[in-house]
Structure formats: C-alpha cells, structure tokens
Amino acid sequence: MRRVLPALLFLLGLLAACTGSPAPSLDKRLDTLARQGVLFPSAAPGAWTIDGGEEVVLQAISIGERNSYPALRVAGGEAPFAFVRETHTRLQLAPFLTWAWNMDPHGEQGHPIHIIVGFRGGNPIDTRAAERKSGWLGLDLPPHDRLLAVTWEGSALRRGELRWVKSSDPRIPARHSVRGGREHAGLWWRETTDLTGVYRLAWPGDDINQVRVVFMGIASAGGSPGTAGHVSGIMLSR
C-alpha cells in the first residue's frame, strides 16, 4: 500500500496539528516522530507509506502519555504491519538516529515493535527486481536495497548485537539490538545510534558514500497481539 488512506490521514493531520513549534531545518536534523507525540510533523501526505491494512494500523496506533511523557503507542497484532516516512537523506549528512522508547513487558524472544530504517545506493548487487517487498516482513515498503531493524531484545545481555536475517533476498535485512530485557520494560530510555557505524559493520562491502536513508518508521513483526511499545522523538541528525 503506497498511500495513506483517508481515515489514517485524518488521524495524522490531527497529530500534526498538536505541535506548537515549526518543523526544524532539514539540513541539521530530520524529525520523524517529534516530541509531544506528534507524528512526522514536517512530512507531506505523499511522504507516507503504510502497509498492513487501514483497520489494523488505525487500531494499532494512538496518541497519549506514558509515565507523564507524551508518546505514540503502537500495539502489535497477529500480522505484521509498518508505517514509514520517506526521507531520501544522504547517510553521511545525518548519520545519527535518536529516539526514546518505553516498552511493555514481553517474552524471551524480544519485543515485536521495531524501528526500521531503509537504505539505498550502496549495495553493489542489483536489487531492483526485489526492492519493493521486504524479505523479512513481507511488507510493501518504499524501494530500498538494505533494511535495518532497531530492536528491543528479550535479554539485556544482547545489547549491541548485530544479526542478519536469514533470507534469499539480496538486500539482507539486519537486526541491531539497542536495548532489551524484561527488567527494563515500563521505563523510558533515550537512545542514540550511529547508523554509519552500524551500516559499515552490517554491509562492509557497500559503498558508504552512496548510501541514502530512504525511509524511517515503525514496524510490528506480528504474532504478539496486544503487546505495545511507546515511542517518541525519532529523528536523524548530524
């Protein structure tokens, strides 16, 4: 699905209307999920990609507070879904990903809600034939040749771990564990990840000078109905 359906567009419009501050200059940072729980305030409607079904996404996302902190609540479901903003920003101009999250208690396999980042331009393999659907989630995402899932794993001991998803897809999705453990659930954590460093480790044969961040957003891997994550402040910066 390559468009925001009317009901969801109305919801996103309401969220954007909640902000009292102007969008930041894109040459310094790119807000994707701003403070106050405002979702993608500077994004035009056409910049959105939603997949997983309008009803599913409408039921999955809501604006509110978590421990007195404004946030977007995203609840997992039986089937995977994703909503992302297209960015088309050179990685070397905005290499740092920052955000805050507060996750519901979850099982040993890790939390179903992930932050996802799509890249394009650095992969030496021609991926045009497979660039639409993700081999990991099977969702219809914007064209990309690498996909990174930033994850909250089942154990805090896995923090910093980088794994590659088993797939015949030439884009080779990767999972980067930033935090984890049920003992850390229910608390707010502010994170910063150097995407350039992670990219070099994940795909060392790529041309880092050609890489662009083509989308960012949130995805649910499915299989965990009702398990929610609360997210705020996702942005790229340099």
Side-chain angles (χ1 to χ4, degrees), residues 110-148:
H111 206 284
I113 306 301
H114 312 306
I115 296 168
I116 58 173
V117 184
F119 304 97
R120 195 176 188 186
N123 191 345
I125 300 175
D126 187 352
T127 63
R128 285 175 293 181
E131 66 186 1
R132 286 299 301 275
K133 286 189 179 295
S134 164
W136 171 47
L137 291 175
L139 295 173
D140 189 11
L141 298 171
H144 62 287
D145 55 32
R146 300 296 193 195
L147 179 68
L148 178 69

CSV table of all heavy atoms in Angstrom, one decimal, residues 110-148:
chain,number,residue,atom,x,y,z
A,110,GLY,N,11.9,-11.3,22.5
A,110,GLY,CA,12.1,-9.9,22.2
A,110,GLY,C,10.8,-9.2,21.9
A,110,GLY,O,9.7,-9.9,21.7
A,111,HIS,N,10.8,-7.9,21.8
A,111,HIS,CA,9.6,-7.1,21.6
A,111,HIS,C,9.2,-7.1,20.1
A,111,HIS,O,10.1,-7.0,19.2
A,111,HIS,CB,9.8,-5.7,22.1
A,111,HIS,CG,8.5,-5.0,22.5
A,111,HIS,ND1,7.6,-4.5,21.6
A,111,HIS,CD2,8.0,-4.8,23.7
A,111,HIS,CE1,6.6,-4.0,22.2
A,111,HIS,NE2,6.8,-4.1,23.5
A,112,PRO,N,7.9,-7.2,19.8
A,112,PRO,CA,7.5,-7.2,18.4
A,112,PRO,C,7.6,-5.8,17.7
A,112,PRO,O,7.6,-5.8,16.4
A,112,PRO,CB,6.1,-7.7,18.4
A,112,PRO,CG,5.6,-7.2,19.7
A,112,PRO,CD,6.7,-7.4,20.7
A,113,ILE,N,7.6,-4.8,18.4
A,113,ILE,CA,7.7,-3.4,17.8
A,113,ILE,C,9.1,-3.0,17.6
A,113,ILE,O,9.9,-3.0,18.5
A,113,ILE,CB,7.0,-2.4,18.7
A,113,ILE,CG1,5.5,-2.9,19.1
A,113,ILE,CG2,6.9,-1.0,18.1
A,113,ILE,CD1,4.7,-3.1,17.8
A,114,HIS,N,9.4,-2.6,16.4
A,114,HIS,CA,10.8,-2.2,16.0
A,114,HIS,C,10.7,-0.8,15.3
A,114,HIS,O,9.7,-0.4,14.7
A,114,HIS,CB,11.4,-3.2,15.0
A,114,HIS,CG,11.3,-4.6,15.4
A,114,HIS,ND1,11.7,-5.1,16.6
A,114,HIS,CD2,10.8,-5.7,14.7
A,114,HIS,CE1,11.5,-6.4,16.6
A,114,HIS,NE2,10.9,-6.8,15.5
A,115,ILE,N,11.9,-0.2,15.4
A,115,ILE,CA,12.1,1.0,14.5
A,115,ILE,C,12.8,0.4,13.3
A,115,ILE,O,13.8,-0.4,13.4
A,115,ILE,CB,13.0,2.0,15.2
A,115,ILE,CG1,12.2,2.6,16.4
A,115,ILE,CG2,13.4,3.2,14.2
A,115,ILE,CD1,13.0,3.4,17.3
A,116,ILE,N,12.4,0.8,12.1
A,116,ILE,CA,13.0,0.3,10.9
A,116,ILE,C,13.6,1.5,10.0
A,116,ILE,O,13.0,2.6,10.0
A,116,ILE,CB,12.1,-0.5,10.0
A,116,ILE,CG1,10.8,0.2,9.6
A,116,ILE,CG2,11.7,-1.8,10.8
A,116,ILE,CD1,10.0,-0.6,8.6
A,117,VAL,N,14.7,1.2,9.4
A,117,VAL,CA,15.4,2.2,8.6
A,117,VAL,C,15.7,1.5,7.2
A,117,VAL,O,16.3,0.5,7.2
A,117,VAL,CB,16.7,2.7,9.2
A,117,VAL,CG1,17.3,3.8,8.4
A,117,VAL,CG2,16.4,3.2,10.6
A,118,GLY,N,15.3,2.2,6.1
A,118,GLY,CA,15.6,1.6,4.8
A,118,GLY,C,16.7,2.5,4.2
A,118,GLY,O,16.7,3.7,4.2
A,119,PHE,N,17.6,1.8,3.5
A,119,PHE,CA,18.8,2.4,2.8
A,119,PHE,C,18.8,2.1,1.3
A,119,PHE,O,18.2,1.0,0.9
A,119,PHE,CB,20.1,2.0,3.4
A,119,PHE,CG,20.2,2.2,4.9
A,119,PHE,CD1,20.0,1.1,5.8
A,119,PHE,CD2,20.7,3.4,5.4
A,119,PHE,CE1,20.1,1.3,7.1
A,119,PHE,CE2,20.8,3.5,6.8
A,119,PHE,CZ,20.5,2.5,7.7
A,120,ARG,N,19.4,2.9,0.6
A,120,ARG,CA,19.5,2.6,-0.9
A,120,ARG,C,20.8,3.3,-1.4
A,120,ARG,O,21.1,4.4,-1.0
A,120,ARG,CB,18.3,3.1,-1.6
A,120,ARG,CG,18.2,2.6,-3.0
A,120,ARG,CD,16.9,3.0,-3.7
A,120,ARG,NE,16.6,2.4,-4.9
A,120,ARG,CZ,15.7,2.7,-5.8
A,120,ARG,NH1,14.8,3.6,-5.5
A,120,ARG,NH2,15.5,2.0,-6.9
A,121,GLY,N,21.4,2.6,-2.4
A,121,GLY,CA,22.5,3.3,-3.1
A,121,GLY,C,23.9,2.6,-2.9
A,121,GLY,O,24.8,2.8,-3.7
A,122,GLY,N,24.1,1.9,-1.8
A,122,GLY,CA,25.4,1.4,-1.5
A,122,GLY,C,25.6,0.0,-1.9
A,122,GLY,O,26.8,-0.5,-2.1
A,123,ASN,N,24.5,-0.8,-2.1
A,123,ASN,CA,24.6,-2.2,-2.4
A,123,ASN,C,25.2,-2.5,-3.8
A,123,ASN,O,24.6,-2.0,-4.7
A,123,ASN,CB,23.3,-2.9,-2.2
A,123,ASN,CG,23.3,-4.4,-2.3
A,123,ASN,OD1,24.3,-5.0,-2.6
A,123,ASN,ND2,22.2,-5.0,-1.8
A,124,PRO,N,26.3,-3.2,-3.9
A,124,PRO,CA,26.8,-3.4,-5.3
A,124,PRO,C,26.0,-4.4,-6.1
A,124,PRO,O,26.2,-4.5,-7.3
A,124,PRO,CB,28.2,-4.0,-5.0
A,124,PRO,CG,28.1,-4.7,-3.7
A,124,PRO,CD,27.1,-3.8,-2.9
A,125,ILE,N,25.1,-5.1,-5.5
A,125,ILE,CA,24.2,-6.1,-6.2
A,125,ILE,C,23.0,-5.3,-6.7
A,125,ILE,O,22.4,-4.6,-6.0
A,125,ILE,CB,23.8,-7.2,-5.3
A,125,ILE,CG1,25.1,-8.0,-4.8
A,125,ILE,CG2,22.9,-8.2,-6.0
A,125,ILE,CD1,24.7,-9.1,-3.8
A,126,ASP,N,22.6,-5.6,-7.9
A,126,ASP,CA,21.4,-5.0,-8.5
A,126,ASP,C,20.2,-5.6,-7.8
A,126,ASP,O,19.9,-6.8,-8.0
A,126,ASP,CB,21.3,-5.3,-10.0
A,126,ASP,CG,20.2,-4.5,-10.7
A,126,ASP,OD1,19.3,-4.0,-10.0
A,126,ASP,OD2,20.1,-4.6,-11.9
A,127,THR,N,19.5,-4.8,-7.0
A,127,THR,CA,18.3,-5.3,-6.3
A,127,THR,C,17.0,-4.8,-6.8
A,127,THR,O,16.0,-5.0,-6.1
A,127,THR,CB,18.4,-4.9,-4.8
A,127,THR,OG1,18.4,-3.5,-4.7
A,127,THR,CG2,19.7,-5.4,-4.2
A,128,ARG,N,17.0,-4.3,-8.0
A,128,ARG,CA,15.7,-3.7,-8.5
A,128,ARG,C,14.6,-4.6,-8.6
A,128,ARG,O,13.4,-4.3,-8.4
A,128,ARG,CB,16.0,-3.0,-9.8
A,128,ARG,CG,16.8,-1.7,-9.7
A,128,ARG,CD,17.1,-1.1,-11.0
A,128,ARG,NE,18.0,-1.9,-11.7
A,128,ARG,CZ,18.5,-1.6,-12.9
A,128,ARG,NH1,18.1,-0.5,-13.6
A,128,ARG,NH2,19.4,-2.4,-13.5
A,129,ALA,N,14.9,-5.9,-8.9
A,129,ALA,CA,13.8,-6.9,-9.0
A,129,ALA,C,13.1,-7.2,-7.7
A,129,ALA,O,12.0,-7.7,-7.7
A,129,ALA,CB,14.3,-8.1,-9.7
A,130,ALA,N,13.8,-7.0,-6.6
A,130,ALA,CA,13.3,-7.4,-5.3
A,130,ALA,C,13.1,-6.2,-4.3
A,130,ALA,O,12.9,-6.4,-3.2
A,130,ALA,CB,14.2,-8.4,-4.7
A,131,GLU,N,13.2,-5.0,-4.9
A,131,GLU,CA,13.4,-3.8,-4.0
A,131,GLU,C,12.1,-3.4,-3.3
A,131,GLU,O,12.1,-2.6,-2.4
A,131,GLU,CB,14.0,-2.6,-4.7
A,131,GLU,CG,13.1,-2.1,-5.8
A,131,GLU,CD,13.8,-1.0,-6.6
A,131,GLU,OE1,15.0,-0.7,-6.3
A,131,GLU,OE2,13.2,-0.4,-7.5
A,132,ARG,N,10.9,-3.9,-3.7
A,132,ARG,CA,9.6,-3.4,-3.1
A,132,ARG,C,9.3,-4.1,-1.9
A,132,ARG,O,9.1,-3.5,-0.8
A,132,ARG,CB,8.5,-3.6,-4.2
A,132,ARG,CG,8.5,-2.5,-5.3
A,132,ARG,CD,8.4,-1.1,-4.7
A,132,ARG,NE,7.2,-0.9,-4.0
A,132,ARG,CZ,6.1,-0.6,-4.5
A,132,ARG,NH1,5.9,-0.5,-5.8
A,132,ARG,NH2,5.0,-0.5,-3.8
A,133,LYS,N,9.2,-5.5,-1.9
A,133,LYS,CA,8.8,-6.2,-0.7
A,133,LYS,C,10.0,-6.6,0.2
A,133,LYS,O,11.0,-7.0,-0.3
A,133,LYS,CB,8.0,-7.4,-1.0
A,133,LYS,CG,6.6,-7.1,-1.5
A,133,LYS,CD,5.8,-8.3,-1.7
A,133,LYS,CE,4.4,-8.0,-2.1
A,133,LYS,NZ,3.6,-7.2,-1.1
A,134,SER,N,9.9,-6.4,1.5
A,134,SER,CA,10.9,-6.8,2.4
A,134,SER,C,10.9,-8.3,2.6
A,134,SER,O,9.9,-8.9,2.9
A,134,SER,CB,10.7,-6.1,3.8
A,134,SER,OG,11.5,-6.7,4.7
A,135,GLY,N,12.1,-8.9,2.4
A,135,GLY,CA,12.2,-10.3,2.7
A,135,GLY,C,12.0,-10.7,4.1
A,135,GLY,O,11.8,-11.9,4.4
A,136,TRP,N,12.1,-9.8,5.0
A,136,TRP,CA,11.9,-10.0,6.5
A,136,TRP,C,10.4,-10.0,6.9
A,136,TRP,O,9.9,-10.9,7.4
A,136,TRP,CB,12.7,-9.1,7.3
A,136,TRP,CG,12.5,-9.1,8.7
A,136,TRP,CD1,12.4,-10.2,9.5
A,136,TRP,CD2,12.3,-8.0,9.6
A,136,TRP,NE1,12.2,-9.9,10.8
A,136,TRP,CE2,12.1,-8.5,10.9
A,136,TRP,CE3,12.2,-6.6,9.4
A,136,TRP,CZ2,11.8,-7.7,12.0
A,136,TRP,CZ3,12.0,-5.8,10.5
A,136,TRP,CH2,11.8,-6.4,11.8
A,137,LEU,N,9.8,-8.9,6.6
A,137,LEU,CA,8.4,-8.8,7.0
A,137,LEU,C,7.4,-9.1,5.9
A,137,LEU,O,6.2,-9.3,6.2
A,137,LEU,CB,8.1,-7.3,7.5
A,137,LEU,CG,8.8,-6.9,8.8
A,137,LEU,CD1,8.6,-5.4,9.1
A,137,LEU,CD2,8.3,-7.7,9.9
A,138,GLY,N,7.9,-9.1,4.6
A,138,GLY,CA,7.0,-9.3,3.5
A,138,GLY,C,6.0,-8.2,3.3
A,138,GLY,O,4.9,-8.4,2.7
A,139,LEU,N,6.4,-7.0,3.7
A,139,LEU,CA,5.6,-5.8,3.5
A,139,LEU,C,6.0,-5.0,2.3
A,139,LEU,O,7.1,-5.1,1.8
A,139,LEU,CB,5.6,-4.9,4.8
A,139,LEU,CG,5.1,-5.6,6.1
A,139,LEU,CD1,5.3,-4.7,7.2
A,139,LEU,CD2,3.6,-5.8,5.9
A,140,ASP,N,5.1,-4.2,1.8
A,140,ASP,CA,5.3,-3.4,0.7
A,140,ASP,C,5.9,-2.0,1.1
A,140,ASP,O,5.1,-1.1,1.5
A,140,ASP,CB,4.0,-3.2,-0.1
A,140,ASP,CG,4.2,-2.5,-1.4
A,140,ASP,OD1,5.3,-2.3,-1.9
A,140,ASP,OD2,3.2,-2.1,-2.0
A,141,LEU,N,7.2,-1.9,1.2
A,141,LEU,CA,7.9,-0.8,1.6
A,141,LEU,C,8.4,0.0,0.5
A,141,LEU,O,8.6,-0.5,-0.6
A,141,LEU,CB,9.0,-1.2,2.6
A,141,LEU,CG,8.6,-1.9,3.9
A,141,LEU,CD1,9.8,-2.4,4.6
A,141,LEU,CD2,7.7,-1.0,4.8
A,142,PRO,N,8.8,1.3,0.7
A,142,PRO,CA,9.4,2.1,-0.4
A,142,PRO,C,10.7,1.4,-1.0
A,142,PRO,O,11.3,0.6,-0.2
A,142,PRO,CB,9.8,3.4,0.2
A,142,PRO,CG,8.8,3.5,1.4
A,142,PRO,CD,8.6,2.1,1.9
A,143,PRO,N,11.1,1.6,-2.2
A,143,PRO,CA,12.2,1.0,-2.8
A,143,PRO,C,13.5,1.2,-1.9
A,143,PRO,O,13.8,2.3,-1.5
A,143,PRO,CB,12.4,1.7,-4.1
A,143,PRO,CG,11.0,2.1,-4.5
A,143,PRO,CD,10.4,2.5,-3.2
A,144,HIS,N,14.2,0.1,-1.6
A,144,HIS,CA,15.4,0.1,-0.8
A,144,HIS,C,16.2,-1.1,-1.1
A,144,HIS,O,15.7,-2.1,-1.7
A,144,HIS,CB,15.0,0.1,0.7
A,144,HIS,CG,14.2,-1.2,1.1
A,144,HIS,ND1,12.9,-1.4,0.8
A,144,HIS,CD2,14.6,-2.3,1.8
A,144,HIS,CE1,12.5,-2.6,1.3
A,144,HIS,NE2,13.6,-3.1,1.9
A,145,ASP,N,17.5,-1.1,-0.8
A,145,ASP,CA,18.4,-2.2,-1.0
A,145,ASP,C,19.0,-2.7,0.3
A,145,ASP,O,19.7,-3.7,0.2
A,145,ASP,CB,19.4,-2.0,-2.1
A,145,ASP,CG,20.3,-0.8,-1.9
A,145,ASP,OD1,20.5,-0.4,-0.7
A,145,ASP,OD2,20.7,-0.2,-2.9
A,146,ARG,N,18.8,-2.1,1.4
A,146,ARG,CA,19.2,-2.6,2.7
A,146,ARG,C,18.1,-2.2,3.7
A,146,ARG,O,17.5,-1.1,3.6
A,146,ARG,CB,20.5,-2.0,3.2
A,146,ARG,CG,21.7,-2.3,2.3
A,146,ARG,CD,22.0,-3.8,2.2
A,146,ARG,NE,23.3,-4.1,1.6
A,146,ARG,CZ,23.7,-5.2,1.2
A,146,ARG,NH1,22.9,-6.3,1.3
A,146,ARG,NH2,24.9,-5.4,0.7
A,147,LEU,N,17.8,-3.1,4.7
A,147,LEU,CA,16.8,-2.8,5.7
A,147,LEU,C,17.4,-3.1,7.1
A,147,LEU,O,17.9,-4.2,7.3
A,147,LEU,CB,15.6,-3.6,5.5
A,147,LEU,CG,14.5,-3.4,6.5
A,147,LEU,CD1,13.9,-2.0,6.4
A,147,LEU,CD2,13.4,-4.4,6.4
A,148,LEU,N,17.3,-2.1,8.0
A,148,LEU,CA,17.8,-2.3,9.3
A,148,LEU,C,16.6,-2.2,10.3
A,148,LEU,O,15.9,-1.2,10.3
A,148,LEU,CB,18.9,-1.2,9.7
A,148,LEU,CG,19.4,-1.2,11.1
A,148,LEU,CD1,20.3,-2.5,11.3
A,148,LEU,CD2,20.2,0.0,11.5
